[in-house]
Amino acid sequence: MKITPKFYQPLWKQTVVTLHEEVWPEVMKAWDEKNYKQSISNLLDYVNPNIKTQYKSSHSYTYQIPHGSSIIEIMIKENDLTIIGKLVRIEKANKAEIIKEVAEINYRLLKRSQIRITEHDLIIYYASSLVNCEPNKIYSVLKEICYVADHYDDLLIKKYNATHLTEPKVIKLKSTDKILARSIALAILDETIYYVQYLETLNLTKEIVDLLEIALYRIDLALSPQGLLKSKLEQTLKFISEKNNSKEEKIEIGKNFIQFIKQMPIPEFDEHLYQAEVFITQREIVSTEYVYQILTQLNDRCQKLIQNNHNYPSVCIQYL
């Protein structure tokens, strides 16, 4: 392993929605002064100051905010807050199977909100009195609702014949960029296969798991795939990161995902290359100080690896 895996610049110029940190003190100030209604209003400014002008309905303190193909409805009343994520329409869907899927998501994934089944739609529901709407908690609720909207709308549509509530506003890659995206994905995967085979000759099982995980993150960073491809990628990453899963299982799942992408027809692959308008991003935003702290700890760990057993492939992967 004489050459490290190549870095590919992200195809999308911006993949993170910028939060307005300068507004956060106003959010907490209103909360500390027990001005709960204003605190939630300021929280929306923290996410996006344009919400109040673009998405406020005719009713006071009610907002209809697009997130992909979903609509996030926020209703701030005198004493209560209600948030409804309108997920998909299920009039023509296989409702019996959807009920099973919803029960699984509610039990396994959701901590604060819950998916509910109405006559025609699936919604993600949260309600609370304003006195209990601490800003950090409400931001986590919004993030949770947007996560479900990101990851399960396309799944429900493909598996159970649900339909979009609205067509998402999307930006698609140019034809030339789609060709580039495919070549980048294949280059990352072929490179990963080569290094996995090399590490297998050294019996470095843990390093193989790490390398497969890195490959998935590289694809996510370079391409930012959406839809079912995004869901499958993140499900694979989650399986690999689970401590209870064996290294052998993780390697098998990682290799299966590589083959899944390599065998995906080009038109189907291209369908997942777009950016949609979002309300709450799932990408974490961290400070420079935090990154410096992580890199310092990483460097200390790698120096010990070099001193103790000269395990240079492991050191290389750790730095990646």
Side-chain angles (χ1 to χ4, degrees):
M1 193 167 184
K2 297 180 180 179
I3 301 175
T4 61
K6 184 178 177 180
F7 171 76
Y8 293 93
Q9 289 279 357
L11 286 176
W12 299 97
K13 291 183 179 179
Q14 182 171 344
T15 57
V16 176
V17 177
T18 303
L19 297 173
H20 296 265
E21 299 289 345
E22 71 280 2
V23 180
W24 188 253
E26 296 300 315
V27 177
M28 296 310 299
K29 182 174 182 289
W31 170 258
D32 292 338
E33 293 173 352
K34 303 187 186 305
N35 189 351
Y36 304 125
K37 198 172 183 179
Q38 188 61 48
S39 177
I40 300 299
S41 179
N42 291 346
L43 179 62
L44 296 180
D45 286 336
Y46 167 73
V47 175
N48 181 356
N50 295 322
I51 286 174
K52 293 178 181 177
T53 55
Q54 293 181 353
Y55 305 120
K56 189 174 181 180
S57 71
S58 57
H59 302 290
S60 180
Y61 290 100
T62 298
Y63 305 89
Q64 300 267 353
I65 307 166
H67 180 82
S69 62
S70 303
I71 299 292
I72 312 300
E73 185 175 51
I74 300 174
M75 292 165 282
I76 311 170
K77 299 179 181 178
E78 285 304 316
N79 299 305
D80 304 292
L81 171 70
T82 302
I83 304 171
I84 297 174
K86 298 179 180 179
L87 190 55
V88 290
R89 185 138 290 159
I90 58 171
E91 285 178 295
K92 300 178 181 179
N94 185 337
K95 293 185 181 179
E97 292 300 318
I98 280 184
I99 289 171
K100 295 178 186 177
E101 187 82 43
V102 166
E104 175 69 15
I105 297 170
N106 282 338
Y107 174 76
R108 179 176 51 83
L109 184 66
L110 297 181
K111 296 178 180 178
R112 301 187 185 277
S113 59
Q114 289 282 285
I115 296 181
R116 294 185 176 183
I117 300 175
T118 68
E119 184 178 358
H120 301 299
D121 302 329
L122 276 189
I123 64 171
I124 316 161
Y125 183 85
Y126 175 84
S128 175
S129 58
L130 285 176
V131 70
N132 293 318
C133 289
E134 194 277 331
N136 285 287
K137 182 176 82 171
I138 297 307
Y139 182 78
S140 72
V141 169
L142 291 170
K143 192 170 183 178
E144 179 178 85
I145 289 173
C146 290
Y147 176 87
V148 174
D150 279 341
H151 290 74
Y152 288 95
D153 55 346
D154 288 328
L155 174 70
L156 293 165
I157 288 167
K158 187 157 188 175
K159 285 182 70 173
Y160 307 119
N161 202 35
T163 55
H164 284 303
L165 286 165
T166 61
E167 283 301 317
K169 298 178 182 178
V170 301
I171 302 171
K172 296 186 177 181
L173 283 178
K174 299 176 183 177
S175 298
T176 52
D177 287 336
K178 288 179 180 179
I179 296 170
L180 177 60
R182 179 74 176 181
S183 67
I184 289 173
L186 292 177
I188 291 172
L189 297 176
D190 289 340
E191 189 179 57
T192 301
I193 292 170
Y194 171 80
Y195 284 126
V196 165
Q197 290 172 346
Y198 168 73
L199 293 173
E200 285 175 339
T201 66
L202 303 176
N203 294 318
L204 295 176
T205 308
K206 179 184 179 302
E207 284 73 12
I208 294 172
V209 173
D210 291 340
L211 191 67
L212 289 167
E213 186 174 16
I214 290 167
L216 269 62
Y217 279 119
R218 292 170 69 202
I219 289 172
D220 189 35
L221 177 63
L223 309 185
S224 295
Q226 302 297 313
L228 289 173
L229 181 53
K230 176 181 179 179
S231 297
K232 189 168 181 64
L233 186 148
E234 294 191 349
Q235 287 168 7
T236 305
L237 279 171
K238 184 177 180 181
F239 186 92
I240 291 175
S241 66
E242 286 286 343
K243 293 181 179 180
N244 293 332
N245 297 327
S246 71
K247 295 184 183 70
E248 291 73 20
E249 288 175 318
K250 293 177 181 182
I251 291 170
E252 182 182 1
I253 290 295
K255 287 182 175 180
N256 288 344
F257 181 79
I258 287 176
Q259 293 307 315
F260 169 75
I261 294 186
K262 286 177 71 68
Q263 294 170 11
M264 181 179 286
I266 292 175
E268 185 179 344
F269 180 83
D270 289 348
E271 286 178 5
H272 300 93
L273 301 176
Y274 63 87
Q275 291 285 284
E277 183 177 3
V278 298
F279 173 36
I280 302 287
T281 179
Q282 297 302 318
R283 293 186 182 272
E284 298 292 340
I285 299 173
V286 297
S287 66
T288 305
E289 292 78 11
Y290 178 77
V291 173
Y292 178 79
Q293 179 186 351
I294 294 298
L295 290 176
T296 301
Q297 294 171 356
L298 173 63
N299 186 63
D300 292 342
R301 190 162 63 247
C302 288
Q303 290 302 320
K304 289 178 181 177
L305 278 172
I306 293 172
Q307 292 169 9
N308 293 337
N309 56 13
H310 303 287
N311 187 349
Y312 295 109
S314 181
V315 169
C316 176
I317 291 169
Q318 287 290 316
Y319 274 122
L320 290 172

